[in-house]
Amino acid sequence: MAPLNPDVEPSAPNVWCVGVAVALVVHAVAWALLVSPGALLLDEGTNQLAARAMAAGRGFDLGNGYAERPAAALAMLAPGFSAQVTPQLGRLVSQYPPGFAALSAPLTAVFGALGVNLVSGVAVAVAAGLTAALAPKDQRLWSVGILLLGSFFWEYGLAATPHASALAFGLGALVTAARRPALAGLLFGLGVTQRLDGVLLLPALIVASVVAGPGWARRGLFSVLGAAPPLLALAWSNHERFGAWSLLSYGVSETSPAAHVARTAGVSAHLGSVGLGLGLLLIWGAVRGASGWGRGALAALGLGILGLVGVEPALR
């Protein structure tokens, strides 16, 4: 029987699917041979402790005895850890957002410390697939090759750090921004719970929504609604750990406040650029795409954000 569409060649075995399967097998074998559950960086040790605490049902409390008998030696854990594992409200907690620990906790309960690394290994494969989804069909292989072979991103798959998972959530938000804005917002919010600097993706998400065509204001609204649950959960977790509802916070150490203020200021230093870009994008959207009250509302919001950047020292 002749094909229904003579312009389309009969499909042979799907070479792309076979290639993906082979790449996943190579990735899994290389990961298994090279991964180590040991903590090369202080960040990895902190993440492993936080995941272990959640797996054990202690929530944010790392539970090394500090709550029962507060002592500087227990707060340190190891040289240099005091900047990341810190006493807060009578407990010892991680300064990092808890999303990565929550994601790693189930695998940590099964595989121990290696479970944290396993999350990163899976996230690298997911990020590679999402990179291919973002690229034009004739450039997918090049895009994935540049990501995995032209950078050291694959090495993050061996680490007990949230870099790979944060990027996977961010790429997922970009892939779904045009057609699934609520899902894009949810993925964006989950990315921020992995790493606080995930908030820097916001301008790119706005651009992706605007260039997708008419209806971008509605997409923006659904994106905000999707992002609300994980961001509210992050604010709640900061309140539980640090006693403050601030989204972008590393807390204030009871033993070393200056170190934590400096670390939090490092994150906040980027917010001025984000605010400037966001304000300009909103004003541009008001001029190019909106009409009626929507144009005025977007312009007012953009000008308000620019004004906040100008008057707030932390954003300048």
Side-chain angles (χ1 to χ4, degrees):
M1 178 182 294
L4 296 177
N5 189 344
D7 296 329
V8 178
E9 297 181 1
S11 62
N14 195 320
V15 178
W16 178 256
C17 289
V18 173
V20 170
V22 171
L24 288 175
V25 170
V26 172
H27 168 63
V29 171
W31 184 90
L33 291 175
L34 297 175
V35 73
S36 171
L40 175 65
L41 305 174
L42 297 180
D43 304 63
E44 292 184 291
T46 302
N47 293 326
Q48 289 172 342
L49 289 172
R52 186 179 65 183
M54 287 196 177
R58 295 195 302 270
F60 306 127
D61 186 359
L62 299 187
N64 72 330
Y66 181 89
E68 293 78 14
R69 183 169 295 181
L74 290 176
M76 289 291 289
L77 294 181
F81 262 62
S82 60
Q84 298 179 2
V85 179
T86 174
Q88 299 282 347
L89 305 178
R91 298 178 300 174
L92 201 64
V93 300
S94 167
Q95 70 164 5
Y96 294 123
F100 185 60
L103 198 63
S104 306
L107 291 176
T108 298
V110 177
F111 299 104
L114 191 62
V116 186
N117 305 71
L118 184 56
V119 170
S120 295
V122 173
V124 163
V126 173
L130 291 169
T131 299
L134 277 174
K137 288 185 178 180
D138 60 342
Q139 298 178 20
R140 287 177 176 174
L141 185 60
W142 286 106
S143 301
V144 175
I146 291 172
L147 175 68
L148 298 180
L149 303 178
S151 72
F152 49 79
F153 177 67
W154 188 84
E155 294 183 50
Y156 279 120
L158 302 173
T161 61
H163 296 77
S165 60
L167 181 62
F169 280 118
L171 289 171
L174 289 174
V175 168
T176 57
R179 296 187 176 183
R180 298 288 186 271
L183 177 59
L186 176 64
L187 294 173
F188 166 75
L190 290 172
V192 178
T193 70
Q194 304 293 302
R195 285 179 58 88
L196 294 184
D197 54 11
V199 73
L200 302 178
L201 184 68
L202 185 57
L205 277 178
I206 294 175
V207 170
S209 180
V210 170
V211 301
W216 60 271
R218 179 181 60 83
R219 287 191 293 271
L221 174 61
F222 278 100
S223 296
V224 171
L225 294 176
L231 294 182
L232 289 174
L234 177 58
W236 169 81
S237 74
N238 287 342
H239 178 265
E240 289 294 306
R241 292 182 298 155
F242 311 136
W245 289 95
S246 172
L247 273 176
L248 304 178
S249 175
Y250 284 133
V252 178
S253 173
E254 295 172 9
T255 58
S256 181
H260 282 261
V261 170
R263 291 298 301 275
T264 303
V267 175
S268 300
H270 298 289
L271 297 182
S273 300
V274 173
L276 179 62
L278 181 58
L280 292 175
L281 281 169
L282 289 172
I283 293 173
W284 174 72
V287 173
R288 292 294 300 273
S291 61
W293 66 269
R295 174 175 296 178
L298 286 176
L301 183 58
L303 290 172
I305 293 175
L306 290 179
L308 182 62
V309 171
V311 302
E312 174 57 45
L315 297 182
R316 292 203 306 269

